[in-house]
Amino acid sequence: MDGARKRPVLLGLTGGIGSGKSTVGSQLAGLGAALIDADQIAREATGPGGSAMAAIRASFGPDFVDERGALDRARMRDWVFSRPEARAQLEAIVHPLVTLQSDLLAQRAAEEGRAVVVFDIPLLAESGRWARRLDAVLVVDCPEETQVERVMRRNGLAREAVLGIIASQASRPARRAIADAVIANGGDCTLEALHAQTRQMAALFGL
């Protein structure tokens, strides 16, 4: 009879918009990690017929539900922007569902024998609920100007809009303060160099 299987390392992955976090997540998955995307789970929960939609309709009203039965993201974004209590109300609905689904996916990954489970969490530094659940945190870091250039090029947003998004997220020092390891992905970092750093981190965490 085989001995007890070693549980996987639970690794939180985060970084500001335009940092390259999603690229690193894909690279880690390519090296054998199980990748759990918290944002994707939240999008599914608030999509047409999603598990959060009944509670969102009851709490915020039908004006926040679009014709497909999904969350009207633009309307909700505008509504919670200057209303911290509304943001907290929305998070109280969505976050437990994200946690539950994340746990189920992590359990499945452990049963498959994965050595590392990566939780891709954009707002990890802003949330106090993840830290106690993770073994380590990996931050993808780059200068703010690099973030601005990448997001303007990728999303077609105006500079002021990108700066607004960056200002709404945790600062670089705040993210680095929670990091157990950092990948530097500045404007001069090639994809090959980024992948080399990702491979080093994968080895560090047991992949």
Side-chain angles (χ1 to χ4, degrees):
M1 182 174 178
D2 293 336
R5 175 177 288 158
K6 182 180 178 182
R7 79 165 180 84
V9 174
L10 305 182
L11 178 64
L13 173 66
T14 194
I17 187 170
S19 65
K21 170 186 61 62
S22 296
T23 300
V24 170
S26 296
Q27 291 176 347
L28 287 168
L31 293 168
L35 181 62
I36 298 174
D37 186 335
D39 261 7
Q40 179 60 32
I41 295 171
R43 285 191 294 270
E44 291 171 358
T46 56
S51 55
M53 291 312 303
I56 287 173
R57 183 187 290 272
S59 297
F60 293 94
D63 287 347
F64 290 91
V65 182
D66 68 17
E67 66 279 359
R68 302 173 303 130
L71 175 66
D72 187 327
R73 300 183 190 283
R75 185 185 291 270
M76 183 63 78
R77 191 181 305 115
D78 291 342
W79 182 252
V80 304
F81 182 75
S82 58
R83 296 176 176 85
E85 71 285 354
R87 180 183 295 275
Q89 187 179 10
L90 178 64
E91 290 175 347
I93 294 170
V94 176
H95 284 180
L97 297 173
V98 173
T99 299
L100 177 61
Q101 183 64 13
S102 296
D103 285 346
L104 290 173
L105 293 173
Q107 180 179 349
R108 186 179 305 165
E111 291 169 353
E112 292 172 354
R114 299 295 187 102
V116 178
V117 177
V118 176
F119 295 87
D120 181 336
I121 310 168
L123 302 182
L124 176 56
E126 293 86 338
S127 171
R129 68 193 182 92
W130 282 101
R132 63 184 179 274
R133 298 161 46 100
L134 301 169
D135 295 316
V137 172
L138 174 60
V139 170
V140 184
D141 181 59
C142 71
E144 181 177 293
E145 187 56 35
T146 300
Q147 291 179 265
V148 172
E149 292 173 358
R150 286 174 178 163
V151 178
M152 287 177 64
R153 184 169 60 246
R154 181 185 70 195
N155 295 29
L157 296 177
R159 181 180 183 84
E160 294 72 21
V162 182
L163 288 172
I165 295 171
I166 292 173
S168 72
Q169 297 183 337
S171 65
R172 288 180 71 194
R175 276 192 295 270
R176 293 179 72 99
I178 66 167
D180 294 288
V182 175
I183 286 180
N185 187 28
D188 58 348
C189 184
T190 65
L191 186 61
E192 291 75 15
L194 179 63
H195 203 173
Q197 291 186 76
T198 301
R199 286 195 299 270
Q200 290 177 341
M201 294 300 168
L204 176 65
F205 292 111
L207 274 180

